[in-house]
Amino acid sequence: MKLTLKVWRQKNNQTLGRLETYVLEEVSEDSSFLEMLDILNEQLIADGQTPVAFDHDCREGICGMCSLTINGIPHGPDGGTTVCQLHMRRFNDGDTITIEPWRARPFPIIKDLVTDRSSFDHIMQAGGFISVRTGSAIDANEIPVPKPVADYAMDAAACIGCGACVAACKNASAMLFTSAKVAQLNSLPQGKPEKDRRVLAMVNAMDEAGFGSCTNYGECSAVCPKEIPLDMIAKLNRDYIVAQTKSIFTKVG
Amino acid sequence: MSALSAIFTTTIGRKVIMALTGIVLVLFVLGHMAGNLLIFVGPDAINAYAYQLHSMPAALLWAIRLFLLVCAGLHIWMAVLLTIASRRARPQSYQQEATVQASYASRTMRMSGIILLAFIVFHIAHYTARIVPGMEYDQSLVEVPLVQGGEVVLKSSGVPVMTFDVHTMMVQGFQVWWVSLFYLIAVGLLCMHLSHGFSSMFQTLGLRNRIWEVRLNRAGLAYGWLIFLGFASIPLAVMAGMIQADPSSSIALVELLK
């Protein structure tokens, strides 16, 4: 199939970027989207041009590295998958495809389609941990976890931290990411001791990083490759309000 | 950070203020609509309702007005602060934009809110302050005796209690085509604003889960339509001639003439 690509090219965070147009004459519809970009890069190298920089790692849909906005939709047109799981058969011969990076101030562009997502790490560092006793590892299943709670925590833990939620949100809000991390740890008994201080610290880190606010319109969940549901955000709000209210009367954390 | 400063400075805190003031405004709108619908009962019913509202102690009346003003003010102020922060969070916009599933109402909350604000200012100037040029509603023309329970209310001196004829004012107001049109557009936008805002309040306050998400979204849509149909029915009925300004048909005047 023949494709016209409009790819965001930007040398670094200090320079302005722009869309460059490339034409690929022969692309197999069985190739993945990232393989298609590999083909483009080989063509660019052969022509003596700089290849397009883009993030990728496992190419199995589980690492959260790949991060392309395709025709305005983070991770492309398929729901519940990452870009690496998107195949060219999803497109038609002669299509024009626009490829852009995640766009958010807390995700500065390093080069072309590669962004620095360490602001997510800062949110995790603020509260994405639990207190455990040192020494030998405790026996598995020593702490009973009710099945619905375990299921809920597992749904939240599915988040791979790719940042598509931020990229899809018109406000560049990181509420879905933060809510998944908070919901995972706050719902399990192991995470209970830091429940209140965790939610306060992680929301604080989220605000400090400069993410926008949630308008509850759900685009984050719609593009999430792990389909983190919106009710995680409701839980984040609930836990935050409870923790903030408690902090009026008692020392939290 | 103390909880009090957090509610005004953090993204979630500001959203909580928007949700809490939103609840007040959502309930006010329902009460306002229910009161207005008394126009279908008859001129005496809506005039007596208006009389009751205005005859409450001035301090209480102004306390309620101030409370509503503070709620609307906080709702707008927080929306402005959050919007500025969100704009800042995306300095470079996408060259190609796309929407996967978000409703039109949820994507246009800011625009529907701004137009609604303009409408509310006009609406208060029009019907409460009555300072819109050409529509001041002459007092001498629209003062009528108060009727409660089908009987004219008399002062101890035997003179009937007079009250402002809200019925005639509403009818005269809505007979102006552009007033009715602006009103219909505004309540249409209100319907949209509420259809997203209603369920959004619960989400922001953390009172939603997977099952209630669907129910609340439907309830929000139903609530928006209820408010729209309730408010829109009045100018439509006036424009269709179903409700007419005819004080001589009022029970009060008939009784007085006896």
Side-chain angles (χ1 to χ4, degrees), chain A residues 43-60:
Chain A
Q43 185 178 304
L44 287 175
I45 292 165
D47 294 346
Q49 297 181 55
T50 322
V52 178
F54 64 94
D55 262 330
H56 60 102
D57 193 5
C58 73
R59 299 208 180 191
E60 289 179 339

Side-chain angles (χ1 to χ4, degrees), chain A residues 19 69 71-72 98 100-101 103-105 155 166-167 169-172 207 210 212-219 222 230-231 233-234 237-238 240 244 248, chain B residues 1 3 6 10-12 15-16 82 86 88-96 98-102 106-107 110 196 200 203-206 208-210 213:
Chain A
L19 286 175
T69 304
N71 292 336
T98 308
E100 294 176 74
R103 294 200 186 278
R105 192 164 59 98
D155 285 351
V166 175
C169 178
K170 64 173 173 178
N171 309 308
D207 283 355
S213 66
C214 180
T215 47
N216 305 326
Y217 87 148
E219 286 291 285
L230 277 184
D231 65 319
I233 295 181
N237 290 332
R238 187 162 64 241
Y240 182 81
Q244 208 53 276
I248 300 172
Chain B
M1 197 190 308
T10 64
T11 47
I12 298 182
K15 288 283 299 177
V16 167
L82 288 168
S86 293
R88 239 182 245 148
R90 174 159 298 143
Q92 164 96 59
S93 56
Y94 286 102
Q95 305 293 301
Q96 187 168 350
T99 302
V100 182
Q101 55 79 46
S106 72
R107 286 184 283 127
R110 287 161 191 162
H196 177 71
S200 199
Q203 171 82 358
T204 300
L205 295 175
R208 207 163 81 154
N209 60 18
R210 246 170 273 196
E213 185 178 334

Side-chain angles (χ1 to χ4, degrees), chain B:
Chain B
M1 197 190 308
S2 80
L4 204 64
S5 69
I7 197 170
F8 283 101
T9 53
T10 64
T11 47
I12 298 182
R14 287 171 176 172
K15 288 283 299 177
V16 167
I17 294 179
M18 288 198 71
L20 292 175
T21 52
I23 292 175
V24 172
L25 298 172
V26 157
L27 291 176
F28 166 75
V29 159
L30 182 68
H32 187 32
M33 183 194 78
N36 282 9
L37 288 178
L38 285 173
I39 197 167
F40 288 105
V41 179
D44 296 327
I46 190 146
N47 287 341
Y49 163 71
Y51 177 79
Q52 274 181 347
L53 286 183
H54 284 273
S55 60
M56 71 170 85
L60 181 64
L61 179 67
W62 280 100
I64 293 170
R65 283 175 170 174
L66 196 67
F67 176 65
L68 287 170
L69 187 68
V70 167
C71 282
L74 278 173
H75 195 77
I76 295 162
W77 182 32
M78 290 301 133
V80 169
L81 290 179
L82 288 168
T83 303
I84 291 170
S86 293
R87 287 274 161 84
R88 239 182 245 148
R90 174 159 298 143
Q92 164 96 59
S93 56
Y94 286 102
Q95 305 293 301
Q96 187 168 350
E97 307 261 0
T99 302
V100 182
Q101 55 79 46
S103 66
Y104 184 73
S106 72
R107 286 184 283 127
T108 52
M109 288 298 273
R110 287 161 191 162
M111 197 40 75
S112 58
I114 290 167
I115 301 171
L116 273 175
L117 174 63
F119 170 74
I120 291 165
V121 171
F122 171 76
H123 190 60
I124 290 174
H126 184 211
Y127 281 149
T128 307
R130 298 195 286 272
I131 49 169
V132 175
M135 285 185 275
E136 288 93 350
Y137 308 112
D138 190 358
Q139 285 277 350
S140 62
L141 272 178
V142 287
E143 190 105 303
V144 290
L146 174 66
V147 178
Q148 275 172 340
E151 298 212 354
V152 181
V153 181
L154 300 173
K155 290 182 193 166
S156 52
S157 57
V159 185
V161 176
M162 300 301 279
T163 185
F164 185 71
D165 190 357
V166 172
H167 178 265
T168 303
M169 178 185 76
M170 283 169 78
V171 173
Q172 284 184 355
F174 287 132
Q175 276 170 346
V176 182
W177 69 269
W178 62 266
V179 169
S180 279
L181 184 68
F182 189 23
Y183 190 90
L184 286 172
I185 292 170
V187 293
L189 289 171
L190 182 64
C191 166
M192 275 171 47
H193 204 78
L194 286 174
S195 69
H196 177 71
F198 184 90
S199 61
S200 199
M201 293 184 317
F202 290 91
Q203 171 82 358
T204 300
L205 295 175
L207 306 173
R208 207 163 81 154
N209 60 18
R210 246 170 273 196
I211 299 160
W212 278 94
E213 185 178 334
V214 182
R215 290 177 186 167
L216 287 168
N217 284 346
R218 282 183 194 149
L221 195 63
Y223 191 81
W225 273 103
L226 173 80
I227 296 292
F228 172 73
L229 293 174
F231 277 121
S233 64
I234 299 166
L236 288 176
V238 170
M239 295 300 268
M242 284 165 64
I243 303 174
Q244 284 173 341
D246 188 11
S248 64
S249 70
S250 150
I251 308 166
L253 283 181
V254 174
E255 291 248 320
L256 275 181
L257 289 171
K258 280 180 188 171

Side-chain angles (χ1 to χ4, degrees), chain A residues 3-234:
Chain A
L3 295 171
T4 306
L5 302 177
K6 286 183 171 174
V7 184
W8 187 260
R9 302 301 308 261
Q10 186 169 339
K11 201 172 173 205
N12 55 43
N13 196 24
Q14 308 303 317
T15 55
L16 289 173
R18 63 182 189 285
L19 286 175
E20 292 277 358
T21 306
Y22 304 104
V23 177
L24 285 180
E25 297 291 344
E26 194 68 46
V27 177
S28 163
E29 58 183 24
D30 293 326
S31 62
S32 77
F33 200 86
L34 297 189
E35 283 165 350
M36 183 273 293
L37 286 181
D38 292 337
I39 294 166
L40 169 69
N41 277 348
E42 281 177 19
Q43 185 178 304
L44 287 175
I45 292 165
D47 294 346
Q49 297 181 55
T50 322
V52 178
F54 64 94
D55 262 330
H56 60 102
D57 193 5
C58 73
R59 299 208 180 191
E60 289 179 339
I62 53 168
C63 77
M65 266 316 268
C66 56
S67 46
L68 303 175
T69 304
I70 298 163
N71 292 336
I73 303 172
H75 290 305
D78 284 339
T81 61
T82 52
V83 180
C84 61
Q85 299 300 296
L86 176 66
H87 286 78
M88 297 317 294
R89 52 183 165 268
R90 191 68 173 69
F91 297 90
N92 298 314
D93 187 35
D95 273 1
T96 300
I97 305 171
T98 308
I99 309 169
E100 294 176 74
W102 285 176
R103 294 200 186 278
R105 192 164 59 98
F107 290 167
I109 291 173
I110 296 171
K111 188 178 182 184
D112 296 340
L113 304 167
V114 178
T115 55
D116 177 2
R117 284 169 280 175
S118 45
S119 50
F120 268 12
D121 298 339
H122 300 148
I123 296 174
M124 288 303 283
Q125 283 154 9
F129 52 82
I130 57 165
S131 304
V132 287
R133 66 187 176 94
T134 54
S136 57
I138 58 169
D139 286 341
N141 299 324
E142 195 186 333
I143 303 167
V145 180
K147 177 79 166 96
V149 174
D151 286 348
Y152 183 79
M154 196 64 202
D155 285 351
C159 170
I160 51 178
C162 64
C165 45
V166 175
C169 178
K170 64 173 173 178
N171 309 308
S173 168
M175 286 285 276
L176 195 68
F177 167 78
T178 309
S179 72
K181 299 306 173 190
V182 167
Q184 179 200 337
L185 297 173
N186 274 14
S187 57
L188 290 171
Q190 291 90 334
K192 284 283 191 281
E194 302 87 1
K195 187 172 184 257
D196 295 326
R197 71 157 296 276
R198 172 181 301 118
V199 66
L200 295 181
M202 289 180 81
V203 168
N204 207 26
M206 178 185 86
D207 283 355
E208 272 177 9
F211 290 103
S213 66
C214 180
T215 47
N216 305 326
Y217 87 148
E219 286 291 285
C220 51
S221 190
V223 302
C224 176
K226 299 301 159 188
E227 297 174 318
I228 303 291
L230 277 184
D231 65 319
M232 298 281 170
I233 295 181

